[in-house]
């Protein structure tokens, strides 16, 4: 009678000892081969790789991390509430872009959303060794991510120019030039009372866009006082437009620092009976697909979010390999629509 094999034995996962035995090498040699090939001959390396493939061996990541000091994961840190992730095309595009940038690697992506009212919480998590590196996007001056991560041992790349000059690596769009481009279009259209709805002014991108707008407007001899701070949401753009119309009834143009806010601004202008672009010309910022769905289609400044996500991911991978990639700024350009 044939002896039955216990079920536990038949379903047991292959171990490092099994790989070593199959490859005809010692356990330590098999371990070194699997963990990078240090001090392993080409023949032994080939034998171990073949044994791993035949047995379907998968390293124990928990045990491996004790040796390599690596977790096999990186964090994408968004310093915004979760509702922004679901509604903001820039944030969702960054998430998709970073995840695609990790294709072909063994790294897992961990999404970390900072909580309002808990500054420093995300930085403490990152410093505790839960991930090997991080990409930080949409950071604010008071969330303490820059000050607590700058100069630390963990590789970090910021999407967006940081306030803290100690941050070694970041990628950004040329927001200053983007603000200039928007204002220049409105000045060239002959507009004389040009306002702006900025983004949150505790972030560098909105500050740079505002500075670029102001530079061109003042150089044209026009007033630069029609400024309302927004929050990168449709509702924030609508509220900002209502304030501008109330305070500056002679307004004939507006630069809105995101397309989401511009969508809200266009709704308010339509409700107020202001024709776009005849009565009020509008230029947005982002060009992430929503501009072509507005009425009229939005003239907007293109933000290269695909390049930003890809550049940040490539820079972080280089940092993890011991490199020192430089910061990079991507150019801005105007996308034509019918609103200005």
């Amino acid at each position: 009678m044939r002896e039955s094999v216990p079920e536990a034995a038949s379903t047991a996962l292959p171990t490092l000892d099994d790989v070593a035995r199959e490859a005809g090498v010692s356990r330590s040699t098999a371990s070194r081969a699997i963990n990078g090939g240090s001090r392993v001959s080409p023949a032994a390396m080939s034998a171990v790789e073949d044994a791993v493939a035949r047995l379907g061996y998968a390293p124990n990541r928990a045990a491996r991390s004790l040796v390599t000091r690596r977790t096999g994961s990186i964090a994408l840190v968004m310093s915004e509430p979760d509702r922004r992730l679901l509604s903001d095309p820039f944030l969702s595009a960054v998430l998709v872009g970073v995840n695609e940038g990790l294709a072909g690697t063994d790294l897992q992506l961990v999404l970390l959303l900072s909580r309002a009212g808990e500054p420093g919480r995300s930085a403490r998590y990152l410093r505790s060794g839960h991930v090997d590196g991080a990409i930080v996007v949409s950071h604010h001056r008071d969330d303490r991510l820059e000050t607590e991560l700058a100069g630390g041992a963990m590789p970090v790349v910021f999407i967006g120019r940081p306030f803290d000059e100690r941050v070694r690596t970041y990628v950004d769009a040329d927001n200053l030039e983007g603000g200039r481009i928007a204002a220049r279009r409105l000045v060239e259209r002959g507009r004389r009372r040009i306002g702006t709805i900025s983004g949150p002014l505790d972030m560098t991108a909105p500050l740079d866009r505002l500075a670029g707008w102001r530079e061109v407007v003042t150089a044209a001899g026009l007033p630069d006082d029609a400024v309302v701070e927004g929050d990168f949401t449709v509702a924030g753009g609508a509220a900002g437009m209502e304030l501008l119309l109330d305070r500056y009834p002679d307004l004939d143009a507006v630069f809105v620092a995101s397309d989401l806010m511009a969508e809200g601004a266009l709704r308010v202008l339509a409700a107020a009976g202001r024709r776009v672009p005849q009565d009020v010309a509008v230029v947005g910022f982002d060009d992430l697909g929503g501009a072509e769905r507005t009425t009229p289609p939005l003239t907007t400044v293109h933000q290269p979010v695909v390049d930003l996500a890809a550049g940040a991911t490539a820079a972080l991978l280089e940092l993890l390999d011991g490199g020192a990639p430089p910061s990079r700024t991507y150019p801005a350009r105007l996308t034509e629509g019918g609103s200005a």
Side-chain angles (χ1 to χ4, degrees), residues 222-289:
L222 303 176
D224 65 347
D225 57 329
V227 178
V228 173
E229 184 177 355
D231 63 357
F232 286 156
T233 68
V234 174
M241 195 70 250
E242 289 175 351
L243 283 174
L244 285 176
L245 291 178
D246 181 59
R247 295 175 182 174
Y248 310 97
D250 59 338
L251 191 82
D252 63 2
V254 60
F255 166 45
V256 189
S258 83
D259 288 353
L260 275 183
M261 292 196 300
E263 181 181 336
L266 289 171
R267 292 177 186 176
V268 169
L269 288 169
R274 301 287 187 98
R275 298 169 301 164
V276 178
Q278 295 91 333
D279 300 325
V280 180
V282 179
V283 175
F285 199 111
D286 277 334
D287 191 24
L288 295 176

Side-chain angles (χ1 to χ4, degrees), residues 31-64:
S31 177
R32 289 196 302 273
I34 291 170
N35 287 288
S38 175
R39 295 180 288 116
V40 178
S41 69
M45 190 73 186
S46 178
V48 171
E49 288 174 349
D50 290 344
V52 166
R54 286 195 300 272
L55 296 175
Y57 173 75
N60 184 320
R61 288 191 175 272
R64 185 175 178 179

Side-chain angles (χ1 to χ4, degrees), residues 71-82:
T71 67
S73 60
I74 67 164
L76 175 60
V77 186
M78 293 184 173
S79 191
E80 299 289 352
D82 52 5

Side-chain angles (χ1 to χ4, degrees), residues 15 52 62 72 83 123 136 149 151 174 180-181 205 209 214 247 256 260 269 271 281 283 289 311 336:
T15 66
V52 166
R83 62 182 180 275
V136 180
L149 296 177
D174 191 343
R180 293 185 188 123
I181 290 170
R209 293 172 197 176
R214 177 164 278 136
R247 295 175 182 174
V256 189
L260 275 183
L269 288 169
V283 175
E336 296 287 353

